[in-house]
Amino acid sequence: MQHIDAIVIGSGIGGLVTATQLAAKGAKVLVLERYLIPGGSAGYFERQGYRFDVGASMIFGLGHNGTTNLLTRALSAVNVSQEAIADPVQIHYHLPQGLNLKVDRVYEKFLQNLTAHFRHEEQGIRRFYDECQKVFKCLNSMDLLSLEEPRYLLRVFFQHPLACLGLVKYLPQNAGDFARRYIKDPQLLKFIDMECYCWSVVPSDMTPMINAGMVFSDRHYGGVNYPKGGVGQIAQKLVEGLEKAGGKIQYQARVTKILTEQGKAVGVQLANGKLYRGKRIVSNATRWDTFEQLLPAEEMPHTEKKWQQNYQKSPSFLSLHIGVRESVLPAGTECHHILLEDWEKMTAAEGTVFVSIPTLLDPDLAPSGYHIIHAFTPHWIDDWQELSVSEYEAKKEEAAWRIIDRLEKIFPGLDAGLDYLEVGTPRTHRRFLGREDGTYGPIPRRKLWGLLKMPFNRTAIPGLYCVGDSTFPGQGLNAVAFSGFACAHRIAVDLGF
């Protein structure tokens, strides 16, 4: 490609939304992906008739109403679409002290289910979750584009003054601040910690209220919807749309260096030595990979050093991709589960177990008569370093059977019905996803003021932008899609599109 307007490093959802949004505006875009297929953490792989999602299958943003259905909007912008299957329950929680609870898609039914466990907190429960609804209504009343573009912000303010002022109120606050304002019961506060932890990887005290309002409300508005054919279809469709719009993607194109001239980003170098130049460079890598691997670590801008003082790498995951006989799953089993036996171990390695069973929504992902169970739990890469091949395999097997033993409490007979098992570790995530230490993304080192410390898309290096979970508003497919919309909008303004 001659005269490339934007080079995007990595084809995660954030990178692909940036690329497709720019291509739809007429920009010449090149995406460079180190792996064989697009998607990153939202990719897939196939084994013995099973199609496994790399990451979780609890997908927000595929709804059809409002403005927060960002995945649907991103696909539509490049004239493609993705069939989705509605999930009637977001999560089935299996928690300490007999707290067995389903988060129903219908808001009032969820409140009733939760209140049944905490009758004395009925008013507080409604006030907290209604507060989250207020955040969501503010977000859902406006197009979500770059918060770094003054003309856009001014236009939105004049169009939606009350919604904007409402969001300003919530920006510096965390979900835990509101939870404790309305709720006193320690176990219920622990439950709200888990409600945050299951997607932010931190308790409510460190989860921004803006994010919590989005997730806790959108599950009852646009809902959780599973893409027909698996999560990997979202990235595949975005690539299809990108190419329709005139953009290009190259696979097995591992970027090893961002090229700079007079302090400005001007291109990239691949592992094979090939060079590409572009007017703007977008990194969909983590900020650690971007500023410590792709750029000289010793020349890290002060703003990035400051960011690293506020944020640290979250853990990675130990993942079990399991094929089982359908007889293992009791009638009425839900797609998504969270298992925890001890509140004190919620954030510990192997404390919380997350479970997705996507074949309950799309049976075509597994051979007839079988289901997929994807179970994953936090783990740090340090526990998997400096092991021989045999030690590594033995450690994987031991860890896998510890998880399977715990899952037997929910799915009796799982061991006997096992048909396929593949185990991934933080090393696996680092190798295939190209993420420093296999991390899920950044988490605060300490309690911060809501989202005010999260970086946006521009960086201290002219011509270089970041997109994905290391930027506002953080982790999750719909969140990184927002990041992609914002990044593309900012670049389009900078380039005059």
Side-chain angles (χ1 to χ4, degrees):
M1 294 176 70
Q2 299 297 315
H3 310 295
I4 302 172
D5 291 308
I7 297 172
V8 180
I9 305 167
S11 67
I13 297 299
L16 287 176
V17 171
T18 303
T20 49
Q21 285 289 301
L22 286 171
K25 294 175 180 12
K28 293 187 183 299
V29 183
L30 173 63
V31 179
L32 299 170
E33 169 55 48
R34 61 184 285 156
Y35 195 47
L36 304 170
I37 59 171
S41 301
Y44 72 96
F45 63 97
E46 295 179 320
R47 298 284 191 276
Q48 298 181 16
Y50 295 96
R51 174 174 285 193
F52 293 107
D53 297 325
V54 170
S57 51
M58 189 192 304
I59 307 302
F60 294 88
L62 281 175
H64 296 286
N65 301 316
T67 62
T68 57
N69 54 342
L70 297 175
L71 295 174
T72 299
R73 290 174 57 203
L75 292 162
S76 178
V78 282
N79 300 310
V80 292
S81 61
Q82 172 61 49
E83 181 183 351
I85 305 157
D87 190 347
V89 169
Q90 182 211 9
I91 297 174
H92 184 176
Y93 285 109
H94 311 263
L95 300 175
Q97 298 168 276
L99 185 50
N100 192 301
L101 174 73
K102 295 183 181 182
V103 179
D104 197 275
R105 192 181 184 107
V106 178
Y107 181 56
E108 288 299 326
K109 192 171 180 181
F110 160 63
L111 293 184
Q112 289 170 14
N113 291 345
L114 185 55
T115 301
H117 289 273
F118 301 97
R119 292 285 182 194
H120 56 293
E121 289 280 17
E122 181 174 2
Q123 185 180 16
I125 289 170
R126 179 169 291 279
R127 291 180 70 187
F128 170 70
Y129 284 101
D130 279 358
E131 195 84 47
C132 294
Q133 293 276 323
K134 292 177 186 177
V135 176
F136 179 75
K137 286 174 183 175
C138 291
L139 290 167
N140 201 35
S141 66
M142 62 186 79
D143 285 335
L144 302 175
L145 297 174
S146 178
L147 301 185
E148 297 180 280
E149 212 277 280
R151 284 176 297 176
Y152 159 74
L153 292 175
L154 193 62
R155 184 173 71 250
V156 169
F157 180 78
F158 283 117
Q159 290 173 343
H160 310 280
L162 295 178
C164 291
L165 291 171
L167 287 180
V168 168
K169 165 189 169 183
Y170 293 110
L171 267 174
Q173 302 194 65
N174 293 314
D177 300 329
F178 283 91
R180 284 194 307 277
R181 187 178 302 173
Y182 302 129
I183 292 166
K184 303 302 178 190
D185 188 290
Q187 188 187 12
L188 180 53
L189 290 171
K190 286 287 188 184
F191 172 74
I192 292 172
D193 278 338
M194 176 58 84
E195 280 262 82
C196 293
Y197 180 74
C198 71
W199 48 269
S200 69
V201 205
V202 286
S204 61
D205 272 357
M206 298 168 74
T207 299
M209 187 60 179
I210 295 283
N211 297 49
M214 182 79 165
V215 174
F216 293 164
S217 304
D218 193 28
R219 64 191 182 186
H220 307 294
Y221 180 81
V224 175
N225 300 281
Y226 188 75
K228 177 72 175 172
V231 174
Q233 288 298 303
I234 300 172
Q236 298 278 1
K237 291 284 188 178
L238 285 170
V239 168
E240 179 186 331
L242 173 68
E243 293 177 333
K244 278 184 182 179
K248 292 189 177 181
I249 184 169
Q250 287 186 22
Y251 299 106
Q252 294 183 287
R254 184 166 68 90
V255 174
T256 55
K257 187 177 182 181
I258 294 172
L259 305 175
T260 59
E261 291 178 0
Q262 298 179 330
K264 180 181 179 180
V266 296
V268 298
Q269 180 176 324
L270 304 188
N272 62 9
K274 194 166 187 177
L275 305 179
Y276 288 98
R277 295 179 67 88
K279 296 176 184 176
R280 296 293 186 273
I281 310 301
V282 181
S283 176
N284 193 194
T286 71
R287 291 185 96 95
W288 293 282
D289 290 287
T290 302
F291 289 96
E292 295 178 12
Q293 304 297 328
L294 301 180
L295 288 161
E298 63 275 9
E299 298 177 17
M300 184 185 298
H302 173 72
T303 52
E304 293 304 316
K305 292 178 181 176
K306 191 172 181 180
W307 179 77
Q308 290 195 12
Q309 291 171 3
N310 290 323
Y311 287 87
Q312 62 186 332
K313 286 173 285 212
S314 71
S316 183
F317 288 98
L318 174 78
S319 295
L320 276 62
H321 296 278
I322 306 170
V324 297
R325 296 192 192 96
E326 63 181 5
S327 58
V328 168
L329 301 183
T333 299
E334 305 297 347
C335 180
H336 298 104
H337 300 256
I338 286 182
L339 173 64
L340 177 67
E341 298 89 350
D342 182 348
W343 287 120
E344 298 304 314
K345 295 181 179 178
M346 184 179 75
T347 62
E350 295 186 32
T352 301
V353 178
F354 306 85
V355 180
S356 295
I357 314 173
T359 41
L360 289 169
L361 301 175
D362 186 357
D364 294 340
L365 300 173
S368 179
Y370 291 86
H371 278 294
I372 285 170
I373 296 179
H374 177 200
F376 49 104
T377 186
H379 252 269
W380 279 263
I381 199 165
D382 290 347
D383 295 333
W384 297 89
Q385 302 283 49
E386 299 178 3
L387 299 173
S388 68
V389 173
S390 60
E391 289 171 337
Y392 182 58
E393 293 301 323
K395 188 178 178 72
K396 283 168 62 175
E397 185 172 357
E398 289 169 5
W401 286 109
R402 285 197 299 271
I403 302 303
I404 290 172
D405 285 345
R406 291 169 66 188
L407 292 178
E408 284 265 355
K409 299 169 188 174
I410 308 175
F411 312 120
L414 173 60
D415 185 357
L418 205 64
D419 177 62
Y420 181 83
L421 173 63
E422 185 158 339
V423 183
T425 73
R427 283 169 51 173
T428 316
H429 288 85
R430 180 180 62 186
R431 177 185 174 193
F432 287 102
L433 302 179
R435 297 176 66 86
E436 177 90 357
D437 294 345
T439 180
Y440 174 67
I443 56 175
R445 290 184 181 274
R446 58 190 177 280
K447 185 177 179 180
L448 299 174
W449 281 17
L451 279 175
L452 293 182
K453 294 290 186 179
M454 261 317 250
F456 295 117
N457 300 109
R458 286 188 294 185
T459 72
I461 298 175
L464 175 64
Y465 303 73
C466 283
V467 72
D469 55 37
S470 293
T471 62
F472 180 97
Q475 296 99 336
L477 259 64
N478 214 26
V480 297
F482 175 95
S483 175
F485 272 95
C487 190
H489 182 78
R490 180 65 259 179
I491 292 172
V493 171
D494 291 346
L495 291 176
F497 281 96

